Amino acid sequence: MPSPFELVSASIIVFLCISLVSAILANHQQFLVKLSNALSAAACLLAAFGGFLTVLSGSVETFILPIGLPDMPFYMRLDALSGFFISIVGLLGFFVSVYSIGYLKGFLGRRSVAPLLVFYNIFLAGMLLVLLSDDAYFFMISWELMAVSSFFLVFFEDEKVPNRRAAFIYVLIAHVGAVLILLSFGIMAGFAAGFESFHGYTFSAMRMAEMPAVWASIAFILAFAGFAAKAGIIPLHVWLPEAHPAAPSNVSALMSGVMLKTAVYGIIRVGFDMMGTPQWWWGGLVLALGLVSAVLGILYALMQSDIKRLLAYSSVENIGIIFIAVGLAMVFAYMKLGTLAALAMAAALYHMLNHAVFKGLLFMGAGAVLHATHERSMEALGGLIHKMKWTAPLFLAGCLSASALPPFNGFVSEWLIFQSFLLTPALPGRLLNLLIPLGAAALALTVALAARGFVKVFGITFLGQWRGRHDTHVAEVDWPMRAGMIMAALSCLLLGIFPNHVIGWLDAVPMSLVGGGIGETAKASGWLWLTPVAAERASYSAPLVFVWLVLVIGVLYFIFRARGVSIRRAPAWDCGFEKMTNRMQYTATSMSMPTRRIFGFAFSIREAVTVVSRRGSSLFPEKYLYRLKVRDHIWNFAYKPVSEASFWIARRVGKLQHGRIQIYLLYSFITLVVLLVFS
Amino acid sequence: MIRQYYPILIESLQVVLVLLGGPLLVGWVRMLKCWTQGRRSAGLLQPMRDVTKLFVKETVLAENASWIFRSAPYVVFGATLMAGAIIPVVSADLPLAATADIIALVSIFALARFFTALAGLDTGTAFGGMGTSREMMVSSLAEPAVLMSVFTVSLVSHSTSLSFMVHELTTVQFILRPSLAFALLAFILIAIAETGRIPVDNPSTHLELTMIHEAMLLEYSGRHLALIEWASMMKLFLFASLGIALFLPWGIAGIDDPAMLPIALVAIVIKLGLIGVFIVLVETGLAKMRIFRVAEFLGMAFLLASLGMLSYFILE
């Protein structure tokens, strides 16, 4: 029996081999799609199994890879925390790889899929390496591997201008973030072994380091900012709604479902593991930014009419929710409330697992819609439930999970976060005491708005009548795509119905980080009841909710079946209005109109109606043109000045450039003279 | 023997009470309304007769309706009945109450609403979409306010499990708390919105400008409509009972206290009767609000509820 570490490293080697093979076999596209994705799926299973076993046993394995710079080998470590994230990567990677067997067929004959497959596998390997690395040097290399490979994936359909722009913004912000992380590691390494020595670069040395509080805070802030840029926390989220829709859907599923989680992994690793005990205001900061991201993320999501953009903004929201739980865990850990910290941490981890599965499912569903209709805008979709009989219910399962409705999985983790809010005792510091009720309020608002958003996504895309001008031929997607989505949807349901088993499994992670766990208390009243603290405090039984719903619906249905009263089909009544056309339906824009009006202050909205008339007189209008442009304020306030300033500087500096060799030689000469004078 | 089955008996009694109580409460409200407006009423049992009539009628489905449209009434009914099995009406001794605490309860109502909203969009008519859009606007503001309001009560009672909350509130000595006052005010405002009563929505209108909830149900007929109508009557009953359980729990039989049952039954009838009077007074006295005033109304409820929780953390 190989050890979990061997399983995970074997899968990494397999990924790298597949990417090599994909480059070699670029001429056999059809064969390549099947082979490469099947192998990736197998490797993902291997990694997921390794991660699962690590968390189950709570074991720690370390390994030193004797390559790298002289005297600086790569350190690797597999503990419960990284094992948990590895199993998420493996699980979703498996679903998505199976799905890709069908999805990538859509590109055949149009463009070569070889680059996609090469970088897809490097991307997966990069994420696993990030989670395994145990020194700053190896971590940064893996981090860059992950960032650069995903850059090429976003860049895949490079003939479209928005995609190129998205990839550029993505790589820019990813690198700003990477620099901040590097600086933070520099500070920690400096205090670990002095600034003269190189031996502080391992994480184990940083764990031992004694840091003054000020420097610890600076290091944490730097790392937090760097990781938040990767996670898409507002105001560093601008790349996310551009990059996720631009990437092919299987990649968007992985980016949203898993890659964002590696950033959360980084924050937990630095905040809980490497820094020892967090300061109270770190938790407050994480919590506050999480709240902002959750509320604004879902509000921006509501405004979108492009399915994939909407899902991308919803990822901002969910990352915000995860940050809320992580922030709470930090506050509790500072106050030495072991059980509460464990509860909040378990909620964060559970939500990460849930979000990976349901967001992966939703992006796969959006990909299926895109594959079948070649349309991403909801305004031109509709009525797909009649044509895509499999995708529709699977996508609905994802929507129910994302809206946190029982008995699906999203509900359980958000329920746990609410419980941690309600269990909060009086905290030191008036600001924190204020933040807890405000946080609960913002989270409640987010959950309700999410349901609104997903009613819109599902209702406009799959229900009603086709909204496009021409009724194109739409067919259900093929079996590999369905299989990927079916497995993800089933996981959504199972993760929702058996929370005790999941919490019992992941309990090793809070145990190792905050020194407490809720696995024992959670199942104290039996596997049927989830009681995070005590049965008198709160209880929830997902299996019973599920059984009750199935039972009542089944019984009612069979009573009516037995009576055999007929059902007649007739044209829709609609209050007696006649001649309804599909253009009279509600659209994505009109669905979100009340939100635009109520929360209008959060956006910059430009709305214009122009009357087009043939005779030039407005008395005989031919048609009305309605233009709507909604942007978030953050782009205008934070990014536009920076980008304009850098262009301004670039233009000034550009004046030095003449293209004449004599002038460049003169520059060199002047530089040398100046250096000689001052040396 | 009887003691062993007592909780199960109570649970069954509760489900029957909810099933019948919903139409009776609505009948009572309509009766009172007729009297205050000087009309003759159709009697207490008229809503029940309406529902039974709908059950035997033929069901007509719109041509474009999919399985979402057909399954939504069942989900709505199942979810509402589940809520009925959880909220303590006459006794806190409910074995199923532990299935879902108060947060889960709010989400179960949200599940029902999610499916109603989808059904509104399913037929692809203009009114259905309008109803869905409006209903989701109302609920996206009302649901957080409900949560904040019940959170305040659960902070006071140190539990989110409804039967423990009721037990705690009835046994502990009564203290006037500012946080609970805020929560109660907010709860009343939201309960009006959630159950679709005037001044937020009007259950008896079919005028396109004013419909919210009804617009989503326009295409329903026969047994589907019967299930949805019955569920919405139960919802009114349940929100009234929830308000009673959270803010006026005195009279509800505690855990393992069968002797209280007759008193509890009388108490709940009186309380619900009074709530009916309150609803009628509000509905006769006020006109329906414009749709975008509803947002302000609910925003106020949300603020009040948040203030309640804030004052618990700051003052108590």
Side-chain angles (χ1 to χ4, degrees):
Chain A
M1 180 74 193
S3 75
F5 183 81
E6 282 160 3
L7 287 173
V8 178
S9 29
S11 78
I12 295 175
I13 295 169
V14 175
F15 284 131
L16 294 177
C17 291
I18 305 170
S19 101
L20 200 67
V21 169
S22 307
I24 297 168
L25 285 181
N27 286 332
H28 305 79
Q29 297 265 321
Q30 222 151 14
F31 172 65
L32 184 62
V33 165
K34 284 188 192 127
L35 175 81
S36 160
N37 283 314
L39 283 176
S40 309
C44 283
L45 267 190
L46 215 60
F49 190 56
F52 176 78
L53 287 182
T54 313
V55 179
L56 198 64
S57 62
S59 62
V60 178
E61 280 181 83
T62 52
F63 184 76
I64 299 175
L65 199 64
I67 49 175
L69 292 177
D71 202 24
M72 291 176 79
F74 290 153
Y75 289 81
M76 294 164 96
R77 185 166 185 261
L78 180 61
D79 59 4
L81 179 63
S82 43
F84 176 78
F85 283 87
I86 286 172
S87 31
I88 296 185
V89 174
L91 186 71
L92 187 64
F94 174 64
F95 299 154
V96 171
S97 298
V98 171
Y99 170 88
S100 304
I101 298 177
Y103 183 73
L104 293 190
K105 278 188 201 148
F107 292 111
L108 292 181
R110 287 200 288 139
R111 55 170 49 248
S112 168
V113 290
L116 181 67
L117 289 169
V118 169
F119 290 113
Y120 178 82
N121 287 294
I122 295 181
F123 179 49
L124 281 168
M127 286 195 284
L128 293 181
L129 285 174
V130 165
L131 300 171
L132 277 183
S133 52
D134 195 36
D135 67 69
Y137 176 40
F138 191 33
F139 185 91
M140 289 317 293
I141 292 181
S142 318
W143 188 259
E144 285 301 300
L145 200 64
M146 180 177 84
V148 172
S149 56
S150 52
F151 162 75
F152 283 110
L153 291 172
V154 174
F155 207 70
F156 178 61
E157 288 177 84
D158 57 355
E159 71 276 5
K160 295 177 190 143
V161 179
N163 290 7
R164 293 204 293 268
R165 188 180 115 97
F168 173 70
I169 296 179
Y170 170 51
V171 81
L172 190 73
I173 294 189
H175 279 92
V176 172
V179 168
L180 296 176
I181 298 170
L182 191 63
L183 286 174
S184 159
F185 282 153
I187 294 174
M188 285 193 278
F191 280 98
F195 285 96
E196 305 299 317
S197 155
F198 285 122
H199 293 285
Y201 77 104
T202 61
F203 285 174
S204 52
M206 293 181 193
R207 276 185 205 109
M208 297 295 155
E210 289 290 323
M211 291 174 79
V214 180
W215 281 104
S217 297
I218 294 176
F220 177 77
I221 294 290
L222 284 172
F224 176 66
F227 287 122
K230 193 70 174 182
I233 280 293
I234 289 175
L236 297 169
H237 69 290
V238 283
W239 62 273
L240 204 152
E242 306 292 332
H244 288 206
S249 299
N250 55 343
V251 177
S252 340
L254 278 185
M255 283 176 78
S256 247
V258 210
M259 190 189 74
L260 303 182
K261 310 299 184 316
T262 58
V264 186
Y265 164 81
I267 288 173
I268 296 180
R269 179 62 85 197
V270 170
F272 284 91
D273 186 17
M274 285 157 64
M275 294 276 193
T277 43
Q279 313 251 348
W280 72 264
W281 62 268
W282 299 355
L285 179 77
V286 177
L287 177 60
L289 280 175
L291 287 171
V292 171
S293 296
V295 176
L296 286 183
I298 192 63
L299 278 178
Y300 294 148
L302 280 173
M303 288 302 114
Q304 308 305 319
S305 54
D306 175 329
I307 306 185
K308 288 179 77 177
R309 262 181 97 87
L310 194 153
L311 294 178
Y313 270 118
S314 147
S315 290
V316 174
E317 171 230 337
N318 279 290
I319 288 289
I321 293 177
I322 293 167
F323 270 50
I324 291 173
V326 172
L328 279 177
M330 281 183 162
V331 172
F332 294 145
Y334 166 77
M335 292 176 61
K336 304 270 182 286
L337 297 165
T339 323
L340 279 183
L343 173 62
M345 181 57 89
L349 296 172
Y350 204 156
H351 197 68
M352 271 186 265
L353 176 61
N354 289 341
H355 178 242
V357 176
F358 72 65
K359 193 48 66 69
L361 170 61
L362 287 170
F363 266 114
M364 285 193 271
V369 170
L370 189 61
H371 187 88
T373 62
H374 302 287
E375 185 60 68
R376 252 168 46 187
S377 166
M378 284 189 270
E379 313 286 14
L381 294 170
L384 292 182
I385 196 169
H386 301 291
K387 290 169 181 164
M388 303 179 82
K389 289 199 175 1
W390 284 84
T391 309
L394 297 172
F395 197 83
L396 179 65
C399 289
L400 289 168
S401 309
S403 318
L405 293 173
F408 283 87
N409 62 355
F411 174 72
V412 181
S413 41
E414 293 188 11
W415 186 77
L416 287 173
I417 301 177
F418 276 128
Q419 293 297 346
S420 6
F421 268 117
L422 289 179
L423 286 166
T424 311
L427 296 174
R430 194 161 290 165
L431 204 64
L432 259 186
N433 253 337
L434 206 68
L435 206 57
I436 296 296
L438 284 182
L443 185 61
L445 185 65
T446 309
V447 174
L449 286 171
R452 177 168 174 59
F454 284 97
V455 161
K456 170 173 141 175
V457 181
F458 186 79
I460 301 290
T461 314
F462 286 95
L463 302 180
Q465 297 167 35
W466 180 254
R467 285 179 180 75
R469 286 185 186 276
H470 310 290
D471 203 353
T472 48
H473 177 69
V474 178
E476 178 58 281
V477 293
D478 60 3
W479 271 105
M481 289 173 78
R482 280 184 233 172
M485 291 191 284
I486 289 171
M487 287 188 291
L490 275 182
S491 326
C492 281
L493 193 59
L494 292 179
L495 287 172
I497 296 185
F498 300 107
N500 278 352
H501 298 84
V502 183
I503 289 177
W505 167 68
L506 58 77
D507 210 35
V509 186
M511 276 289 187
S512 68
L513 292 177
V514 293
I518 56 163
E520 287 306 312
T521 47
K523 55 174 187 253
S525 318
W527 67 274
L528 209 53
W529 310 94
L530 173 62
T531 48
V533 187
E536 306 86 62
R537 279 293 328 204
S539 61
Y540 167 59
S541 171
L544 282 183
V545 172
F546 181 67
V547 169
W548 174 281
L549 286 176
V550 170
L551 212 67
V552 172
I553 293 168
V555 165
L556 283 174
Y557 186 73
F558 281 107
I559 289 175
F560 290 130
R561 270 289 285 251
R563 282 185 46 226
V565 179
S566 66
I567 287 186
R568 186 160 58 88
R569 290 271 180 178
W573 174 53
D574 205 35
C575 257
F577 281 76
E578 273 183 82
K579 295 198 185 78
M580 293 289 301
T581 71
N582 60 350
R583 307 271 295 154
M584 295 180 191
Q585 298 175 86
Y586 256 54
T587 59
T589 311
S590 49
M591 266 292 279
S592 53
M593 183 271 192
T595 320
R596 257 200 317 279
R597 210 157 143 172
I598 298 169
F599 296 100
F601 56 86
F603 314 97
S604 69
I605 301 175
R606 252 181 285 160
E607 220 173 354
V609 182
T610 15
V611 184
V612 180
S613 49
R614 190 178 293 158
R615 293 172 214 170
S617 147
S618 56
L619 291 177
F620 301 99
E622 199 161 82
K623 57 182 171 186
Y624 288 88
L625 292 178
Y626 174 72
R627 279 202 189 78
L628 175 72
K629 197 169 165 71
V630 183
R631 288 209 79 147
D632 51 42
H633 280 313
I634 292 154
W635 180 263
N636 289 344
F637 286 144
Y639 288 84
K640 224 174 165 187
V642 174
S643 99
E644 276 167 8
S646 43
F647 272 118
W648 186 82
I649 294 170
R651 273 197 298 277
R652 293 292 171 285
V653 175
K655 285 193 177 155
L656 289 173
Q657 215 169 8
H658 295 274
R660 283 163 62 186
I661 192 89
Q662 292 93 326
I663 292 183
Y664 293 143
L665 284 174
L666 185 69
Y667 288 158
S668 316
F669 178 71
I670 293 172
T671 314
L672 278 176
V673 168
V674 169
L675 284 176
L676 281 174
V677 168
F678 285 102
S679 64
Chain B
M1 191 65 192
I2 290 209
R3 291 205 68 72
Q4 199 182 341
Y5 291 110
Y6 174 68
I8 298 170
L9 278 175
I10 289 287
E11 189 67 67
S12 328
L13 172 73
Q14 158 107 15
V15 171
V16 174
L17 259 182
V18 171
L19 281 173
L20 299 180
L24 282 177
L25 179 64
V26 171
W28 166 244
V29 170
R30 285 193 199 159
M31 224 164 101
L32 282 176
K33 207 167 181 180
C34 286
W35 291 344
T36 48
Q37 295 174 346
R39 292 184 281 136
R40 271 180 62 189
S41 90
L44 202 60
L45 298 178
Q46 188 57 32
M48 264 182 200
R49 286 187 213 116
D50 288 346
V51 169
T52 19
K53 182 190 71 189
L54 283 173
F55 268 120
V56 293
K57 280 207 156 195
E58 183 196 33
T59 305
V60 183
L61 273 184
E63 272 157 0
N64 196 43
S66 69
W67 57 269
I68 292 273
F69 189 81
R70 297 178 64 168
S71 59
Y74 298 97
V75 177
V76 171
F77 191 83
T80 315
L81 195 59
M82 155 138 253
I86 292 165
I87 300 171
V89 177
V90 283
S91 164
D93 217 344
L94 292 174
L96 274 180
T99 312
D101 68 343
I102 194 133
I103 305 169
L105 182 80
V106 174
S107 302
I108 286 171
F109 279 122
L111 178 73
R113 183 166 42 231
F114 195 89
F115 272 87
T116 325
L118 287 184
L121 283 170
D122 195 16
T123 47
T125 57
F127 284 136
M130 189 186 74
T132 299
S133 173
R134 289 178 176 177
E135 171 84 0
M136 291 317 282
M137 175 198 81
V138 171
S139 72
S140 65
L141 294 169
E143 200 189 304
V146 172
L147 277 177
M148 292 311 286
S149 157
V150 298
F151 282 175
T152 313
V153 186
S154 68
L155 282 172
V156 170
S157 59
H158 304 290
S159 177
T160 58
S161 186
L162 266 165
S163 51
F164 286 101
M165 285 167 87
V166 170
H167 186 73
E168 184 80 19
L169 290 171
T170 42
T171 45
V172 173
Q173 199 197 356
F174 177 71
I175 321 167
L176 264 179
R177 289 170 183 271
S179 56
L180 280 188
F182 280 123
L184 172 64
L185 257 177
F187 188 86
I188 293 173
L189 296 184
I190 310 145
I192 290 172
E194 282 271 351
T195 52
R197 312 294 309 191
I198 292 174
V200 174
D201 190 6
N202 186 351
S204 56
T205 180
H206 281 121
L207 188 68
E208 56 263 38
L209 287 174
T210 56
M211 292 189 282
I212 298 178
H213 185 250
E214 294 302 308
M216 296 188 291
L217 313 180
L218 274 181
E219 302 300 327
Y220 274 115
S221 59
R223 60 188 185 232
H224 292 153
L225 184 60
L227 283 175
I228 286 195
E229 289 283 337
W230 198 354
S232 67
M233 291 178 197
M234 290 198 297
K235 194 175 176 188
L236 178 69
F237 179 84
L238 289 175
F239 260 86
S241 316
L242 183 63
I244 292 172
L246 293 180
F247 299 102
L248 297 165
W250 300 278
I252 295 178
I255 292 170
D256 226 11
D257 191 8
M260 263 299 267
L261 267 186
I263 306 172
L265 269 171
V266 175
I268 194 80
V269 169
I270 294 174
K271 286 179 201 167
L272 285 173
L274 288 177
I275 287 177
V277 173
F278 171 76
I279 293 175
V280 168
L281 287 182
V282 170
E283 297 211 334
T284 358
L286 291 178
K288 199 191 155 302
M289 277 185 282
R290 272 178 58 214
I291 194 94
F292 283 104
R293 297 302 292 274
V294 173
E296 291 164 26
F297 174 86
L298 291 170
M300 190 171 76
F302 184 49
L303 266 179
L304 274 175
S306 304
L307 266 180
M309 194 163 167
L310 210 62
S311 62
Y312 177 83
F313 269 94
I314 307 278
L315 301 177
E316 292 166 23

